[in-house]
Amino acid sequence: MHRGSTFDRPDAEFIARANTVNDQCTAHATAWHLDAERLAALNALTAKAGAAYAANSDRATRNQITSANKKKAFSDLKHFLSLFVDYLTVNLSVPDEALAVMGLRPRRRPAREPLPRPLEAPVLTAVIRHGQMTLHVARPELGHPQQSTTRKGYFGFKLRWRFEDETRWRHEISTRLSCTLRFEPGEQTKRIVLEAAWINPRLEEGPWSGQITEIVG
Protein backbone atom coordinates (compact mmCIF):
# COMPACT_ATOMS: atom_id res chain seq x y z
CA MET A 1 0.00 0.00 0.00
CA HIS A 2 1.64 3.25 -1.03
CA ARG A 3 1.53 6.50 0.91
CA GLY A 4 -1.16 8.16 -1.15
CA SER A 5 -3.67 5.33 -0.75
CA THR A 6 -2.97 5.14 3.00
CA PHE A 7 -4.18 8.64 3.89
CA ASP A 8 -5.97 9.99 0.81
CA ARG A 9 -9.37 8.94 2.16
CA PRO A 10 -12.69 10.50 3.14
CA ASP A 11 -12.49 12.51 6.37
CA ALA A 12 -14.10 9.91 8.63
CA GLU A 13 -11.82 7.13 7.35
CA PHE A 14 -8.74 9.32 7.58
CA ILE A 15 -9.26 10.42 11.15
CA ALA A 16 -10.09 6.83 12.16
CA ARG A 17 -6.86 5.56 10.63
CA ALA A 18 -4.85 8.42 12.14
CA ASN A 19 -6.32 7.59 15.56
CA THR A 20 -5.33 3.95 15.11
CA VAL A 21 -1.75 4.92 14.30
CA ASN A 22 -1.68 7.33 17.24
CA ASP A 23 -3.16 4.81 19.69
CA GLN A 24 -0.89 1.96 18.62
CA CYS A 25 2.25 4.10 18.74
CA THR A 26 1.34 5.50 22.16
CA ALA A 27 0.61 2.04 23.58
CA HIS A 28 3.83 0.51 22.22
CA ALA A 29 6.15 3.52 22.44
CA THR A 30 8.63 1.79 24.74
CA ALA A 31 8.70 -1.57 22.95
CA TRP A 32 9.09 0.13 19.58
CA HIS A 33 11.74 2.57 20.89
CA LEU A 34 9.84 5.54 19.47
CA ASP A 35 11.32 9.00 19.65
CA ALA A 36 9.49 10.92 22.40
CA GLU A 37 9.46 14.21 20.51
CA ARG A 38 7.99 12.69 17.38
CA LEU A 39 5.39 10.81 19.39
CA ALA A 40 4.40 13.99 21.24
CA ALA A 41 3.95 15.76 17.90
CA LEU A 42 1.80 12.87 16.63
CA ASN A 43 -0.37 13.00 19.78
CA ALA A 44 -0.86 16.77 19.51
CA LEU A 45 -1.61 16.85 15.78
CA THR A 46 -4.01 13.91 16.01
CA ALA A 47 -5.88 15.46 18.94
CA LYS A 48 -6.12 18.80 17.13
CA ALA A 49 -7.39 17.17 13.93
CA GLY A 50 -9.91 15.09 15.89
CA ALA A 51 -11.28 18.14 17.70
CA ALA A 52 -11.49 20.13 14.47
CA TYR A 53 -13.29 17.27 12.75
CA ALA A 54 -15.78 16.93 15.60
CA ALA A 55 -16.50 20.67 15.63
CA ASN A 56 -17.05 20.74 11.88
CA SER A 57 -19.24 17.63 11.97
CA ASP A 58 -21.66 19.18 14.52
CA ARG A 59 -24.39 21.05 12.65
CA ALA A 60 -24.80 23.37 15.63
CA THR A 61 -21.20 24.61 15.43
CA ARG A 62 -20.30 24.11 11.76
CA ASN A 63 -19.38 27.25 9.83
CA GLN A 64 -16.69 28.57 7.51
CA ILE A 65 -14.24 28.89 10.39
CA THR A 66 -14.68 25.30 11.60
CA SER A 67 -14.35 24.10 7.99
CA ALA A 68 -11.10 26.03 7.52
CA ASN A 69 -9.77 24.81 10.87
CA LYS A 70 -10.55 21.20 9.99
CA LYS A 71 -8.93 21.53 6.58
CA LYS A 72 -5.76 23.04 8.08
CA ALA A 73 -5.56 20.47 10.91
CA PHE A 74 -6.01 17.58 8.48
CA SER A 75 -3.39 18.99 6.12
CA ASP A 76 -0.86 19.35 8.96
CA LEU A 77 -1.55 15.83 10.23
CA LYS A 78 -1.30 14.27 6.75
CA HIS A 79 2.01 16.00 6.12
CA PHE A 80 3.37 14.78 9.45
CA LEU A 81 2.10 11.24 8.92
CA SER A 82 3.69 11.00 5.47
CA LEU A 83 7.09 11.38 7.16
CA PHE A 84 6.18 9.48 10.33
CA VAL A 85 5.19 6.39 8.33
CA ASP A 86 8.66 6.37 6.77
CA TYR A 87 10.10 6.56 10.29
CA LEU A 88 8.00 3.61 11.43
CA THR A 89 8.87 1.56 8.35
CA VAL A 90 12.66 1.84 8.82
CA ASN A 91 12.34 1.24 12.57
CA LEU A 92 12.73 -2.55 12.77
CA SER A 93 11.45 -2.54 16.35
CA VAL A 94 8.00 -2.03 14.84
CA PRO A 95 6.81 -5.51 13.81
CA ASP A 96 5.47 -6.14 10.32
CA GLU A 97 2.20 -7.24 11.93
CA ALA A 98 1.90 -3.86 13.66
CA LEU A 99 2.21 -2.03 10.34
CA ALA A 100 -0.66 -4.15 9.03
CA VAL A 101 -2.80 -3.41 12.12
CA MET A 102 -2.27 0.32 11.54
CA GLY A 103 -3.19 -0.07 7.87
CA LEU A 104 0.25 1.04 6.70
CA ARG A 105 2.19 -0.13 3.68
CA PRO A 106 4.35 -3.23 4.21
CA ARG A 107 8.12 -3.03 4.21
CA ARG A 108 8.31 -5.48 1.33
CA ARG A 109 5.99 -6.12 -1.52
CA PRO A 110 4.73 -9.70 -1.50
CA ALA A 111 6.51 -11.88 -4.02
CA ARG A 112 4.52 -12.38 -7.18
CA GLU A 113 3.66 -15.94 -8.00
CA PRO A 114 5.21 -16.96 -11.34
CA LEU A 115 2.75 -17.41 -14.15
CA PRO A 116 1.90 -21.09 -14.58
CA ARG A 117 2.31 -23.07 -17.75
CA PRO A 118 -0.57 -22.16 -20.12
CA LEU A 119 -3.45 -24.63 -20.02
CA GLU A 120 -5.00 -24.05 -23.42
CA ALA A 121 -3.93 -23.99 -27.04
CA PRO A 122 -4.20 -21.00 -29.36
CA VAL A 123 -6.05 -20.96 -32.65
CA LEU A 124 -3.51 -20.68 -35.46
CA THR A 125 -4.25 -19.10 -38.85
CA ALA A 126 -2.02 -18.12 -41.77
CA VAL A 127 -2.05 -15.24 -44.25
CA ILE A 128 0.16 -15.72 -47.32
CA ARG A 129 1.25 -13.03 -49.74
CA HIS A 130 4.36 -12.04 -51.72
CA GLY A 131 6.52 -14.97 -50.68
CA GLN A 132 5.93 -14.64 -46.97
CA MET A 133 3.58 -16.19 -44.47
CA THR A 134 2.22 -14.38 -41.42
CA LEU A 135 0.91 -16.62 -38.66
CA HIS A 136 -1.70 -15.28 -36.23
CA VAL A 137 -2.67 -16.74 -32.87
CA ALA A 138 -5.87 -15.99 -31.00
CA ARG A 139 -8.34 -17.27 -28.45
CA PRO A 140 -11.89 -16.99 -29.74
CA GLU A 141 -14.01 -15.20 -27.16
CA LEU A 142 -17.63 -14.69 -28.07
CA GLY A 143 -16.61 -14.88 -31.70
CA HIS A 144 -13.77 -12.36 -31.41
CA PRO A 145 -10.02 -13.03 -31.17
CA GLN A 146 -8.21 -11.74 -28.12
CA GLN A 147 -6.43 -8.44 -28.56
CA SER A 148 -3.39 -8.95 -26.35
CA THR A 149 -1.22 -11.76 -25.03
CA THR A 150 -0.96 -10.00 -21.65
CA ARG A 151 -4.71 -9.95 -21.18
CA LYS A 152 -4.60 -13.55 -20.01
CA GLY A 153 -1.09 -13.40 -18.59
CA TYR A 154 0.72 -14.97 -21.54
CA PHE A 155 4.23 -13.90 -22.46
CA GLY A 156 3.79 -14.81 -26.11
CA PHE A 157 3.69 -17.90 -28.25
CA LYS A 158 6.03 -20.44 -29.79
CA LEU A 159 5.63 -21.45 -33.41
CA ARG A 160 7.12 -24.63 -34.77
CA TRP A 161 7.12 -25.48 -38.44
CA ARG A 162 8.70 -27.73 -41.04
CA PHE A 163 8.46 -28.40 -44.75
CA GLU A 164 6.20 -31.39 -45.34
CA ASP A 165 9.07 -33.47 -46.73
CA GLU A 166 11.27 -32.81 -43.67
CA THR A 167 11.26 -34.26 -40.17
CA ARG A 168 13.19 -31.49 -38.38
CA TRP A 169 11.04 -28.81 -36.71
CA ARG A 170 12.11 -25.17 -36.76
CA HIS A 171 11.05 -22.83 -33.97
CA GLU A 172 10.17 -19.16 -33.64
CA ILE A 173 9.14 -17.24 -30.50
CA SER A 174 7.02 -14.08 -30.62
CA THR A 175 5.79 -11.84 -27.81
CA ARG A 176 3.14 -10.47 -30.15
CA LEU A 177 0.10 -12.18 -31.64
CA SER A 178 1.72 -12.78 -35.00
CA CYS A 179 4.93 -14.03 -36.54
CA THR A 180 6.10 -13.73 -40.16
CA LEU A 181 8.11 -16.34 -42.06
CA ARG A 182 9.93 -15.41 -45.29
CA PHE A 183 10.96 -17.89 -47.95
CA GLU A 184 13.35 -18.12 -50.87
CA PRO A 185 11.90 -18.19 -54.40
CA GLY A 186 12.65 -21.91 -54.74
CA GLU A 187 10.60 -22.68 -51.62
CA GLN A 188 7.40 -20.99 -52.70
CA THR A 189 5.72 -24.11 -54.03
CA LYS A 190 6.42 -26.22 -50.96
CA ARG A 191 3.91 -27.34 -48.40
CA ILE A 192 4.61 -26.33 -44.82
CA VAL A 193 3.27 -27.82 -41.57
CA LEU A 194 2.79 -25.49 -38.60
CA GLU A 195 1.51 -25.48 -35.02
CA ALA A 196 1.71 -23.08 -32.09
CA ALA A 197 1.56 -22.99 -28.29
CA TRP A 198 1.22 -20.19 -25.73
CA ILE A 199 4.27 -19.65 -23.50
CA ASN A 200 4.73 -18.04 -20.08
CA PRO A 201 7.70 -15.75 -19.15
CA ARG A 202 9.82 -18.85 -18.38
CA LEU A 203 9.14 -20.00 -21.96
CA GLU A 204 7.19 -23.01 -20.70
CA GLU A 205 4.80 -24.19 -23.37
CA GLY A 206 1.14 -24.94 -23.07
CA PRO A 207 -0.73 -27.43 -25.28
CA TRP A 208 0.03 -27.28 -28.99
CA SER A 209 -2.64 -26.21 -31.41
CA GLY A 210 -3.82 -28.51 -34.12
CA GLN A 211 -1.45 -28.70 -37.09
CA ILE A 212 -2.23 -26.71 -40.20
CA THR A 213 -0.69 -27.27 -43.63
CA GLU A 214 -0.21 -24.42 -46.09
CA ILE A 215 1.45 -23.92 -49.48
CA VAL A 216 4.08 -21.20 -49.23
CA GLY A 217 3.33 -19.50 -52.52
Side-chain angles (χ1 to χ4, degrees):
M1 182 180 300
H2 60 78
R3 185 179 308 165
S5 65
T6 302
F7 296 116
D8 289 347
R9 295 175 176 273
D11 288 352
E13 292 183 27
F14 166 69
I15 198 64
R17 178 156 296 186
N19 282 330
T20 298
V21 173
N22 182 68
D23 293 346
Q24 289 292 314
C25 288
T26 301
H28 300 92
T30 301
W32 294 352
H33 305 291
L34 298 183
D35 177 74
E37 186 175 343
R38 288 178 177 174
L39 181 59
L42 173 65
N43 295 158
L45 288 169
T46 304
K48 184 176 181 179
Y53 174 72
N56 194 60
S57 299
D58 187 341
R59 292 185 177 181
T61 59
R62 182 190 308 164
N63 54 44
Q64 289 184 343
I65 295 176
T66 62
S67 176
N69 288 342
K70 187 271 297 181
K71 184 176 180 179
K72 177 65 165 57
F74 271 38
S75 177
D76 291 344
L77 180 56
K78 286 181 180 180
H79 176 72
F80 177 85
L81 283 171
S82 69
L83 301 175
F84 191 75
V85 168
D86 289 339
Y87 166 67
L88 293 177
T89 302
V90 300
N91 179 358
L92 299 183
S93 295
V94 181
D96 290 342
E97 295 79 6
L99 295 179
V101 168
M102 292 184 282
L104 304 180
R105 65 185 186 274
R107 291 187 172 93
R108 309 170 196 83
R109 291 185 178 180
R112 295 183 63 183
E113 291 292 327
L115 288 175
R117 185 188 296 270
L119 297 177
E120 62 182 4
V123 175
L124 179 65
T125 56
V127 176
I128 304 166
R129 59 167 63 98
H130 307 305
Q132 68 182 31
M133 182 182 298
T134 300
L135 289 309
H136 299 271
V137 290
R139 180 196 298 108
E141 293 183 351
L142 302 178
H144 299 283
Q146 73 177 52
Q147 301 299 313
S148 166
T149 55
T150 59
R151 202 170 117 207
K152 292 294 182 181
Y154 297 148
F155 177 72
F157 76 97
K158 178 182 285 189
L159 173 75
R160 65 183 183 187
W161 64 276
R162 61 179 174 82
F163 291 113
E164 196 173 44
D165 59 355
E166 296 180 340
T167 58
R168 179 178 65 88
W169 288 98
R170 313 179 196 201
H171 296 85
E172 303 287 342
I173 290 178
S174 174
T175 57
R176 305 176 65 184
L177 294 176
S178 63
C179 176
T180 299
L181 304 178
R182 294 173 175 81
F183 301 94
E184 299 297 327
E187 298 172 331
Q188 293 185 11
T189 58
K190 291 189 174 184
R191 293 169 63 87
I192 183 173
V193 181
L194 310 105
E195 54 186 1
W198 297 117
I199 55 175
N200 64 15
R202 299 191 300 281
L203 305 186
E204 294 174 328
E205 304 156 2
W208 289 93
S209 65
Q211 292 184 359
I212 63 172
T213 301
E214 301 285 344
I215 298 176
V216 174

